[in-house]
Amino acid sequence: MRFRHKSLIVLLLAALATTALANVEPLHAQHGIVVSIHELASKAGVEVMQAGGNAVDAAVATGFALAVVHSPAGNIGGGGFMLVRMADGKTHFIDYREKAPAAATREMFLDAQGNVIEGASEIGYKSIGVPGSVAGMVYAEQRYGKLTLKQVMAPAIRLAREGYALSWGEVQDLHDKHLSEFAESRRIFQRGGNYYRPGEIFRQPELARTLERIAAKPDDFYHGAMAREIAAAMKKGGGLITAEDLAQYEVKEREPVRGTYRGFEVISAPPPSSGGTVLIESLNIVEGYDLAKLGDRSAESIHFTTEAFRRAFFDRAEFMGDPDFAKIPVAQLIDKKYAEAWRETIHSENATASKDLKRPAIFSELEEYAAAHPQPVENHEAPHTTHYSVVDAEGNAAAVTTTINDWFGSRVTVDGLGFLMNDEMDDFSSKPGVPNLDGLIQGEANAIGPGKRPLSSMTPTIVVHGDKTLLVLGSPGSSKIITTVANVLMGVVDYGMNIQEAVDAPRFHNQWLPDVLNVEQWFSPDTVKRLQTMGYKVEFGLHDDESVVPYWSDAECIAIDAKTGERLGASDYRNSGKAVGY
Ligand code: DON
């Protein structure tokens, strides 16, 4: 997702618009498959499956490999969620989201006047949350994998030590101006100013050594010498994370959220992600409309779906946060009766103005909570993260979304250890009601607090038909993650697309505030005109102060053919990912 370069966007648009439907067949694999943003990471997962590993081994191998070959988002210095559904139907949701350090305070990103200090939660040491990725991947491997940690980390260690050839796009990414603000990041990723060129081999010896140390003694990252080294580097840079914070970090297994949609079971991410709840609430609302009959990407089907997104994001802003710190009314939000009440507020031909939205008063829990909290205000939209999907030969599946939040996270590389740290503190509300990097408004439940997990939109999702896994879905894209997953899911279920078509199909997005309907560049101007007459403010692409990006997200998904059992891998044609199978 390197559409930060405006000149490139224009060229790409011309090329992509004509190739939009050129390759509509997913990759067909007979046994196991991995779909990710980088071919080498997908290959790492397949390599361990071919060596006898299962989907979890492959997910962990892919995750560590992404930390090497996809530095802007793949990581060991961030966090993520892994949703596993084994072939016998058992599910596991592993939460390894970052946590705020103990010294974090509610006002840490505010100035003396109580205003948000721009950029403070996004760049540099104070923006870093206690990373959970190593703990989460090690936990998943030890509980649910078949191989050893050393075996599944071998491909990542090899890639870090021997290096890999950088593509043109990866080289452009490494020019990131904020990376140069941190000496260790500038030394490693920008070769001290002698920037890498396309085709050059990028070797990361410090990261290779760190990965070898994790493979040999994983606990060292949180309780041993490595924890002390990380804490010392954080202190030196003015950060808050201490060895004690690392020692206190814990992975949580949680119950995923579950809903149904037109007879399919949808299993997705629970709080501290808002993803599954907002997805299921949206699907419950649109279930009342015959979208297939209204027609794929028709103004009417977009209207009803947008109204559903608007309402679910309105609730997201009000209620969502870390469930270990606040009661989150998930059961009410995903209740079909609540969706029915919401539907009654949707006009058949006119858009609802976001500012006029009124929550149906059918659940006292929601009313009492909302009455106690001020309604937030609006703002901007911006960009990074990565998702990958795995299915093995037995039919076990894993959907994993992992992040360091912004592209290259906080831009801080830990001295001597060769890995980038997240800026996940920006996912908290720096000030309830004021938007974060993603333009998202969030309420009291997501205020900063020591030891708390910031609210996420990551939505690793598995769709089941009968007792069989049908779809493994997910994407990066901040707030657009949720609508991207919904767009792909509805593409298959409502519009009869194959998984590749559903991934490639043009997306649309609304998140309550700002009150805008974003559509990707490929939408028909006629449809857009019709939507405008319905009252929508439609924007082609995503706009911010500096640029317009024509398309978004990176859905890396799998379907399983119910008849043949074939694994069908769909990597998003918007980016340079790859499905690899055998
Ligand atoms: O957890 C979240 O929701 C965000 N940190 C995700 C950021 C993201 O997806 C940016 N990617 N494009």
Side-chain angles (χ1 to χ4, degrees), residues 249-570:
Y249 187 83
E250 49 178 357
V251 172
K252 297 241 166 162
E253 271 218 41
R254 302 189 189 270
E255 258 311 298
V257 282
R258 289 168 196 271
T260 58
Y261 184 60
R262 306 195 199 278
F264 296 89
E265 185 185 13
V266 179
I267 306 170
S268 193
S273 178
S274 61
T277 309
V278 174
L279 174 69
I280 292 172
E281 185 177 341
S282 305
L283 292 173
N284 283 344
I285 298 173
V286 293
E287 199 172 34
Y289 305 102
D290 190 345
L291 295 186
K293 194 161 159 214
L294 292 172
D296 175 26
R297 302 312 186 261
S298 68
E300 284 73 17
S301 67
I302 295 170
H303 164 58
F304 290 122
T305 310
T306 304
E307 292 306 322
F309 290 160
R310 188 196 307 280
R311 284 155 177 78
F313 271 95
F314 174 66
D315 283 336
R316 180 196 192 278
E318 185 82 61
F319 298 112
M320 297 255 134
D322 183 344
D324 296 338
F325 285 74
K327 191 173 169 343
I328 317 291
V330 174
Q332 288 81 7
L333 295 172
I334 63 170
D335 193 310
K336 299 264 188 201
K337 285 199 296 291
Y338 185 55
E340 198 182 314
W342 262 139
R343 271 197 302 275
E344 282 167 22
T345 70
I346 299 178
H347 191 279
S348 61
E349 289 187 8
N350 295 326
T352 311
S354 287
K355 64 176 175 32
D356 297 337
L357 218 49
K358 295 233 167 16
R359 185 170 290 109
I362 69 161
F363 288 125
S364 56
E365 295 90 335
L366 300 187
E367 283 178 78
E368 280 157 25
Y369 186 105
H373 298 92
Q375 254 318 320
V377 288
E378 74 173 283
N379 201 23
H380 75 279
E381 174 67 42
H384 289 111
T385 302
T386 193
H387 175 87
Y388 56 98
S389 299
V390 184
V391 173
D392 68 19
E394 277 76 51
N396 305 308
V400 188
T401 315
T402 179
T403 187
I404 44 177
N405 192 34
D406 199 4
W407 211 227
F408 296 106
S410 61
R411 314 310 204 272
V412 170
T413 300
V414 183
D415 284 342
L417 296 179
F419 68 91
L420 282 157
M421 281 290 215
N422 68 84
D423 62 335
E424 222 67 59
M425 293 298 286
D426 186 66
D427 275 352
F428 283 113
S429 354
S430 293
K431 183 174 179 180
V434 174
N436 70 352
L437 180 71
D438 305 337
L440 283 168
I441 314 277
Q442 343 205 39
E444 281 298 318
N446 193 33
I448 304 176
K452 221 169 149 181
R453 284 158 147 88
L455 181 61
S456 174
S457 296
M458 294 189 288
T459 315
T461 298
I462 294 180
V463 178
V464 178
H465 193 213
D467 62 351
K468 291 210 163 56
T469 294
L470 173 74
L471 302 172
V472 187
L473 307 176
S475 175
S478 306
S479 50
K480 294 167 300 301
I481 294 174
I482 309 173
T483 52
T484 295
V485 171
N487 272 252
V488 175
L489 194 157
M490 288 190 275
V492 174
V493 170
D494 290 292
Y495 305 120
M497 298 176 184
N498 75 32
I499 187 69
Q500 187 70 57
E501 290 165 338
V503 161
D504 293 350
R507 297 172 182 145
F508 56 97
H509 171 79
N510 171 276
Q511 59 180 47
W512 173 51
L513 291 175
D515 191 351
V516 168
L517 170 58
N518 299 97
V519 299
E520 287 188 320
Q521 287 292 343
W522 307 289
F523 270 76
S524 138
D526 292 346
T527 311
V528 168
K529 253 186 226 141
R530 170 104 179 85
L531 287 161
Q532 284 164 333
T533 61
M534 293 167 127
Y536 286 97
K537 179 168 182 252
V538 184
E539 279 180 1
F540 277 100
L542 304 173
H543 297 230
D544 66 23
D545 298 344
E546 292 166 22
S547 62
V548 178
V549 292
Y551 54 88
W552 59 80
S553 295
D554 180 59
E556 300 290 334
C557 304
I558 299 173
I560 303 182
D561 187 311
K563 287 203 194 87
T564 64
E566 277 187 318
R567 285 83 171 101
L568 309 171

Side-chain angles (χ1 to χ4, degrees), residues 49-248:
M49 283 195 277
Q50 288 180 313
N54 65 13
V56 174
D57 295 299
V60 176
T62 305
F64 278 112
L66 282 167
V68 179
V69 298
H70 188 51
S71 346
N75 68 83
I76 56 172
F81 301 124
M82 182 184 295
L83 173 61
V84 177
R85 184 175 189 270
M86 304 304 277
D88 65 5
K90 284 205 187 75
T91 53
H92 309 283
F93 183 85
I94 305 167
D95 167 359
Y96 46 100
R97 182 75 166 158
E98 298 90 330
K99 287 173 68 171
T105 62
R106 202 184 152 93
E107 298 84 21
M108 64 187 280
F109 299 121
L110 303 182
D111 64 17
Q113 284 70 45
N115 298 319
V116 178
I117 308 167
E118 199 164 332
S121 63
E122 297 166 24
I123 309 278
Y125 286 83
K126 293 233 163 45
S127 69
I128 306 174
V130 183
S133 289
V134 170
M137 289 195 281
V138 169
Y139 177 97
E141 179 56 40
Q142 292 175 343
R143 291 284 158 117
Y144 305 115
K146 283 163 66 178
L147 305 179
T148 64
L149 192 60
K150 276 199 175 120
Q151 282 173 296
V152 299
M153 289 185 68
I157 295 169
R158 193 177 63 229
L159 286 163
R161 193 160 292 292
E162 294 173 9
Y164 64 100
L166 288 167
S167 69
W168 182 87
E170 287 163 345
V171 164
Q172 303 310 307
D173 286 343
L174 291 175
H175 283 245
D176 181 273
K177 73 171 190 251
H178 293 299
L179 273 179
S180 22
E181 291 164 21
F182 299 92
E184 190 71 345
S185 303
R186 182 169 157 83
R187 181 179 72 77
I188 293 179
F189 296 103
Q190 303 182 328
R191 214 164 38 187
N194 172 23
Y195 291 100
Y196 283 95
R197 286 179 294 278
E200 274 196 270
I201 302 298
F202 181 42
R203 295 187 183 83
Q204 300 172 79
E206 291 88 353
L207 179 57
R209 181 74 200 116
T210 297
L211 293 171
E212 280 163 356
R213 289 172 69 184
I214 293 170
K217 203 176 167 202
D219 205 35
D220 208 46
F221 193 97
Y222 292 94
H223 294 100
M226 217 184 308
R228 290 191 292 278
E229 290 163 44
I230 296 169
M234 294 299 105
K235 189 166 176 203
K236 189 170 147 220
L240 302 183
I241 295 174
T242 62
E244 185 57 22
D245 285 320
L246 289 158
Q248 292 293 322

